[in-house]
Structure formats: C-alpha cells, structure tokens
Amino acid sequence: MPATAPTWTEERIERLKNRFEAGLSCREIACDIGVSRNAVIGKLSRLNLTREKTSDAPRPTRKDPAKAKRPKSVPRLQYRMLQALYAEPAADHEPIHNGQCCSLLELSKERCRWPISTPGADDFRFCGNPPVEGLPYCAGHTRIAYRPGSRQRVARG
Ligand SMILES: [Zn+2]
C-alpha cells in the first residue's frame, strides 16, 4: 500500500460536488468525506465551485424585519387589530358561530380554536371560523379571549 493515498479520489470529488450543491458548509462536507476543511476549500476553488450568494453578500446577520422572530406577546400589529375589533360597535350581539364547527382533528391554522361546549363532552367542537390573521381565534372569539378583564369568562356556546 502506498504511504499516502491521494486525498481526492473520483468518488470523493463526486461527493464533494454533491454536498456542495446540496448547500452544505465546507466544514460539513469535510466531515462527511473525511478530509480536512482546508482540503475541501482548496478543492472547491480548484474546481471553480463558489457560492455566489455568500461571496457577494456575506452578511447573514442582517435583519429582515419581515423574517425577524416576533416576541411571544401580542405583537404591535395584532394589538392594533384587536383595538380595531373592540372599536367596532354592537359586536357583542353578533352571532359568532356560523356552522363551521370542527373537531380537534380538523383544527388547523385556518380555523378558530375556540372550544364550543364542554371539553370531553360528546358534542365538543371548536368554533372553526376563519381566524384573525396571526391569532388562533376568529374575530368574535378574539374579542372574548383578549378582552381586558374577561379572562375568567367561560366560553359560551
Ligand atoms: Zn371563533
């Protein structure tokens, strides 16, 4: 056996290209193939494989307000939406349910998850109306859920 096997066999080069195209970092590629990270970087440059998006804009820390993580409390926009909801007159008399009641299994992000009747009961359902954007409840239930001083209030069918 030769003392030093060539670092870059055909197979390794293929894997290098595959991993590179899959978007793995040099370190990850190096780990995967079993060579040093420097070897990966050197081979990539010899193969003229570069990542344009990272070489051009090497600032992944730049904050995109739309993608920034929101705090867990109700964000300002939603707070405004709530204010707008409360500002509407006569809302208390609006019927909230419209026959879209759904079971737990049918719940999704597009359905109000306000419990109707008693949890555990045979006819237990969730509201199922289209929710206010970014909130788990429809407009009517959002009012009830977030109304100041109404936290103790029991859901009414
Ligand atoms: Zn609802």
Side-chain angles (χ1 to χ4, degrees), residues 4-119:
T4 52
T7 301
W8 292 108
T9 60
E10 289 290 322
E11 188 202 340
R12 278 178 165 176
I13 292 170
E14 274 313 299
R15 284 171 76 166
L16 173 74
K17 288 178 183 171
N18 282 343
R19 302 303 186 274
F20 178 82
E21 277 159 21
L24 267 65
S25 72
C26 291
R27 185 197 300 272
E28 288 167 325
I29 297 172
C31 252
D32 187 63
I33 300 180
V35 300
S36 73
R37 183 166 165 272
N38 281 340
V40 168
I41 293 171
K43 191 63 180 174
L44 284 176
S45 72
R46 278 195 294 279
L47 291 170
N48 275 330
L49 290 171
T50 52
R51 288 197 176 104
E52 282 159 37
K53 49 186 176 182
T54 52
S55 62
D56 215 19
R59 275 184 288 173
T61 53
R62 192 182 50 165
K63 287 203 173 172
D64 184 345
K67 288 177 185 171
K69 268 206 165 181
R70 293 185 178 281
K72 280 204 169 179
S73 58
V74 180
R76 183 135 205 93
L77 178 64
Q78 287 173 16
Y79 180 72
R80 289 215 195 101
M81 290 162 67
L82 291 174
Q83 278 188 322
L85 280 177
Y86 295 139
E88 288 171 22
D92 278 349
H93 308 294
E94 285 176 11
I96 290 176
H97 310 301
N98 65 359
Q100 295 193 42
C101 289
C102 64
S103 69
L104 179 63
L105 291 177
E106 293 165 329
L107 267 188
S108 73
K109 278 188 172 177
E110 284 76 42
R111 309 194 90 163
C112 170
R113 45 187 64 226
W114 188 268
I116 310 295
S117 85
T118 313

